[in-house]
Amino acid sequence: MLVSNLGCRIVWAWRRGGLASAVALGLAGCHGGSDSDGDGSSSSEASGGTATSEPAEGTTLTETSTAATSTTTTGTSTGTSTLDTDASTGSGLQCSDGRGDAGELCFAPPVDVFVGLPVAALVAATVAPKQGAAQDLVIGHGTGIAVLAGDGSGGFENLAELDTGSVAALAVADLDGDGLGDIAAAHGDSGRVSIAYNDPGGFAFAQDLPFDVEPTPSPSSIAIADFDGVDGPDVVAVDESAAQLHLWLQEPGGGFAAPLSIAIGGNPGEIGVGGLGGSDAPDVAVPNLGGTSVAVLLFNAGSFDIADSVLVGDGPRAVAVTDLDGDGLDDLATADGAGDSASVAFGGAAGIGNAAIYVAGPQPRAVATGDIDNDGRADLVVSLQSANAVAIFLQGDGGAFLSAQWVATPPGPGALAIADFNGDGLGDVAVGSAAGQGGVSLLLSDP
């Protein structure tokens, strides 16, 4: 476990299979009093605390002050992405000075906002009726759904607790057009997909969406998008065990039609939706846990066609779809569970390009995107389930991502959400854990 303080930062190198990537544990910029005798400890004169770490099983942590290099693969060509660990917050930058300079990467120690239950799904969205745009948290856990209302300064209060049974995945969007975020949940253990509508009086369950296939599916991932362009957003879910995709189209006046269910093959992971075909029409990106690819499915004439297949790292478990490079076209990023990597493929008018594969660390579980360092570019965060850390890839020039920097988390990090929870204009990271006592912790920016 990492014990850290606001005043100090430790930089390590993680080495596995001959590859090294920069590791930052307890990011908070050393301000004097740092230990330099090579014993692997660091102290802060301001707080008098110490920071220590225990390496994950099978991982060697060694102190370093030299540049780290990670191998990157793009299509059939190879290159390198490097990071000077002595300047990982940027030349001349300092944490905790309140400035939030571009290129700066600084976090306070994790703060628990939800404890006591294993967490499988996490969404940052504005769901509570309020003034302003403070971000809330929707948490899928072992017995239901917790909704925490954010106060805009990094604090939360309980808004709702929905007794739905165990939740495998969540999606949040305004399904009924009232301006409030509604919740769609996948319940893999009980073979259900449920909808909770949000109104000023609170959340109410309207229905479990029907399945028309046997045996009863085990939905493991879910998303919301308007696939047919009429009657509002629709719901799509994937059954990992049966390798099926199910789509419920919303009907006029509310409610959902019987699902379109198709076999997609492979071993599907956590899906993403977005305009990956060079248009605004939503596609479904389906990572293949048992392979090295992401299938892009396009809704067409009442069914799905395979529009593209993108080669990524080994065993992609989750995918995020968003515009990473600011060109107005969606791109994709994956957490590659078997490859200990993260992959990025940029979309274009003609489709999706080759993926660049970056060293992440042991057992990537989830991926999220957002501007972490205040430079106007989307960065990547990947949870490393067996390392008790997240790997942060800052986006550099030309769409390349710098080598991973690790930030310590509570045990077993999985689900991720990125938003500005404390109102400082910088991306903060919410991390869900399914291990031990479970819960959700916040890594709040500390500019």
Side-chain angles (χ1 to χ4, degrees):
M1 158 169 196
L2 178 77
V3 180
S4 63
N5 56 69
L6 281 171
C8 199
R9 165 197 178 91
I10 306 177
V11 178
W12 305 83
W14 170 71
R15 301 185 183 276
R16 187 169 186 224
L19 298 177
S21 64
V23 175
L25 295 177
L27 272 163
C30 288
H31 305 300
S34 62
D35 179 82
S36 59
D37 61 7
D39 64 0
S41 66
S42 181
S43 63
S44 165
E45 292 179 345
S47 65
T50 61
T52 62
S53 69
E54 297 174 2
E57 183 177 354
T59 301
T60 301
L61 294 176
T62 56
E63 191 174 8
T64 183
S65 59
T66 60
T69 303
S70 66
T71 298
T72 310
T73 303
T74 308
T76 58
S77 63
T78 60
T80 59
S81 174
T82 63
L83 176 69
D84 184 349
T85 58
D86 286 333
S88 54
T89 56
S91 178
L93 302 180
Q94 182 175 353
C95 294
S96 304
D97 61 5
R99 291 172 45 174
D101 300 295
E104 187 175 74
L105 183 59
C106 306
F107 290 97
V111 176
D112 293 334
V113 296
F114 179 82
V115 296
L117 288 167
V119 170
L122 191 57
V123 176
T126 300
V127 296
K130 67 181 76 176
Q131 297 294 322
Q135 293 288 299
D136 309 313
L137 281 173
V138 182
I139 302 167
H141 55 73
T143 62
I145 301 170
V147 183
L148 306 185
D151 63 9
S153 60
F156 291 86
E157 64 178 5
N158 292 328
L159 178 67
E161 180 67 40
L162 309 178
D163 185 14
T164 66
S166 179
V167 172
L170 290 171
V172 177
D174 181 9
L175 290 169
D176 55 4
D178 64 356
L180 298 174
D182 308 304
I183 302 173
H187 309 277
D189 291 347
S190 55
R192 300 161 41 235
V193 167
S194 65
I195 303 294
Y197 286 103
N198 185 12
D199 61 46
F203 286 90
F205 276 96
Q207 63 187 119
D208 280 355
L209 299 186
F211 285 100
D212 60 356
V213 294
E214 295 292 343
T216 301
S218 299
S220 51
S221 183
I222 195 165
I224 298 173
D226 188 0
F227 288 96
D228 60 358
V230 296
D231 303 322
D234 312 304
V235 176
V236 62
V238 163
D239 177 359
E240 179 179 325
S241 61
Q244 292 179 324
L245 181 145
H246 308 279
L247 172 66
W248 293 267
L249 298 175
Q250 191 163 180
E251 297 183 310
F256 291 85
L260 165 69
S261 300
I262 63 171
I264 54 178
N267 185 10
E270 296 176 12
I271 61 174
V273 295
L276 288 167
S279 70
D280 293 332
D283 307 299
V284 182
V286 185
N288 181 11
L289 270 166
T292 58
S293 66
V294 175
V296 178
L297 307 181
L298 174 66
F299 184 72
N300 181 29
S303 185
F304 282 95
D305 297 326
I306 297 180
D308 208 342
S309 181
V310 182
L311 291 177
V312 295
D314 192 11
R317 175 168 288 278
V319 61
V321 179
T322 190
D323 182 7
L324 291 170
D325 55 0
D327 66 353
L329 299 173
D330 281 341
D331 315 300
L332 65 82
T334 62
D336 308 323
D340 293 347
S341 61
S343 301
V344 177
F346 291 104
I352 306 167
N354 293 330
I357 302 173
Y358 298 91
V359 176
Q363 202 176 359
R365 180 63 183 82
V367 60
T369 67
D371 185 5
I372 299 296
D373 62 341
N374 196 32
D375 66 352
R377 296 180 286 203
D379 308 305
L380 301 183
V381 179
V382 175
S383 56
L384 304 176
Q385 197 165 29
S386 64
N388 300 338
V390 293
I392 298 180
F393 298 85
L394 298 181
Q395 187 173 172
D397 295 333
F401 286 83
L402 302 179
S403 298
Q405 298 183 74
W406 285 11
V407 181
T409 69
L416 295 171
I418 299 177
D420 181 11
F421 295 112
N422 60 359
D424 64 359
L426 301 174
D428 308 305
V429 184
V431 184
S433 172
Q437 294 298 309
V440 175
S441 299
L442 287 186
L443 294 171
L444 293 174
S445 56
D446 182 33

